[in-house]
Each structure stands twice: as C-alpha cells, then as structure tokens.
Amino acid sequence: MTTPTSSTLVTGATGTTGRRVTAGLVGKGRRAKAAGRSATPLAGAQAVRFDWNEPATWDAALDGVDRAYLVPPVGSSEPATVMLPFLRRARAAGLRRAVLLSSSAIPAGGPAVGRVHAHLPDLFEEWAVLRPSWFMQNFAGSSPHARSIRENGAILTAAGHGRVGFVDAEDIAAVAVHALLDDRAPNTDLVLTGPQTLSYDEVAAIITEATGRLVEHRHLTFERLCDRWAAEIPLEFATMLAGMDRAIAAGAEDRTSDTVERLTGRPAGTFRAFVERELSQGS
C-alpha cells in the first residue's frame, strides 16, 4: 500500500486525462506529482518539470514516488525508445506500480505504445494498461474534430459507417485512479468504452440536435485523410492515425465493455451527456 509520504507521479499532468487523474488523486487525499515540460502548477499537487526526451529531468520526477500514471510522449510513433529507459530507471528508484495509457486499437506488442505495454509486466509486479476507445473529448476544445466542426460544420474521417465506443476522459481518469490506488493492482489491460457504439454520422446528428447547428460527417478516403493529418504531424504518425480510421471502417472498434462501471461503481457516461455538459460549460 502507499505510505503516508509516498507520491504518485502523473506524467502529461496538464493533458486531457492527466489533469483529471491529478485532481482525482488530490481529491482522495493522496500526494501527487504533476509532471510536465513546463511544471505547470495544479491545485493540491507538486509541480515538477519532466520531459521524456530529457533524461536529466527524470530523477527529480521519480524522487519519493512509488507509483506512476504514464502518458506516452505526444506525436511519437516509437515511444518505447524513451519510455523503456525511463521505466528501467523508475524501477531502480523504487517505483512499484505503473499504469500506462494506451489505446483500444493497440494490443500488447503492437505498434507505438504497444511495445511499452508488452514490457510492463516484466518491469513491475503491479501494473495496468488502460486501453480506451476514442475520447469524447476529441470533439471539444482545440482538437482537430472540434476545429473542423466550428470552422466547417463537419467531421472529417475515413471511418465510413464504422462504429466506435466513444469514452469520456472523466471515466478514463476514474479508472486510472482506481488502478493506481486500489490495494490490488489490476495486472492486466483494461479496454475502456462508453455504454454504446456510435458511427460518426450518429455523432454528427447528436451534436446537431444538441447545438442547433448543422454538423455533417464527411467521408474521406484513407489517402485524403492521411494527407490532411500529414499537414500537421509527421507522416509516419499521420499514416498510423489514418490507418486507425480504416480499421474502424472495418469494424475494429465496434464493441463496448463494462470496465468503467465494474471498477468505479458507476456507469460510463453517454456521448449525449458529454455534449450537453460541454455546452453547459461553454466549450
């Protein structure tokens, strides 16, 4: 169990799940180290500078830590190259439990963070890998889908009529906090979804109904979507993301799980509830 003086490290602490995980830990009276490249202060947490690509920042982040929530470096198609050396150092420094954020689309041993997933059980006796489906938050804030909705009244994908079990980041964070703090570590991977699957056509219809503004789903080819992503991110990563849409079209994400309710004791939030909450918050 966590000792009174030990802390939980949260990497990517200002990100979509990281800030929610930090708040969840603080809300339960736990010490949290909010780690990020700018060491941004978060209420109730100790801010610490951390950069996956700067090993000189690792030791300070690991000092006094016995468990960690791990968000892979953003935009990297080969996160294992920096994450595995960090995790080996973390183990030597006394880290006992690691909870890794991955994706429902990436199994252990798969591409990108799948390589880190495959090594985690060998590195730590206590571990969990969270494999959420696509985030509902992909349609809010400054995300590409949110921008295209605001600017063009459209969602652009190569997912065709494929269905996705979109999941709320609030639910992902709640599962993460459980996996970090429960007396028994999950020691498995956890697929996280919302309570239903939706096509992007249905997503557009729900947003239209909730906002009163027409939003449509525009069906792109894999090649066109890849070109669109490549204008903003490295080609290799853009190709991987477009490939995930192609997998959705083939049915790869047409599933739901009961993990959120089973581990948190409350049902996963619906996409409609998410949209209404975003509207009420003025997002």
Side-chain angles (χ1 to χ4, degrees), residues 162-251:
R163 305 180 71 82
V164 177
F166 295 100
V167 62
D168 193 334
E170 299 283 351
D171 292 329
I172 300 169
V175 172
V177 170
H178 175 90
L180 287 163
L181 299 182
D182 196 52
D183 287 344
R184 296 182 61 182
N187 289 347
T188 189
D189 63 316
L190 301 165
V191 173
L192 309 178
T193 75
Q196 64 186 146
T197 60
L198 297 168
S199 69
Y200 280 95
D201 292 333
E202 291 169 327
V203 165
I206 290 170
I207 296 173
T208 296
E209 183 178 342
T211 63
R213 180 192 175 194
L214 178 62
V215 176
E216 62 177 352
H217 173 214
R218 294 180 187 166
H219 297 241
L220 303 184
T221 63
F222 166 82
E223 291 77 14
R224 283 191 62 196
L225 183 63
C226 188
D227 289 343
R228 181 172 183 264
W229 281 120
E232 300 185 22
I233 59 177
L235 178 60
E236 186 177 5
F237 195 54
T239 302
M240 185 177 76
L241 289 179
M244 288 179 175
D245 262 23
R246 185 158 58 182
I248 290 171

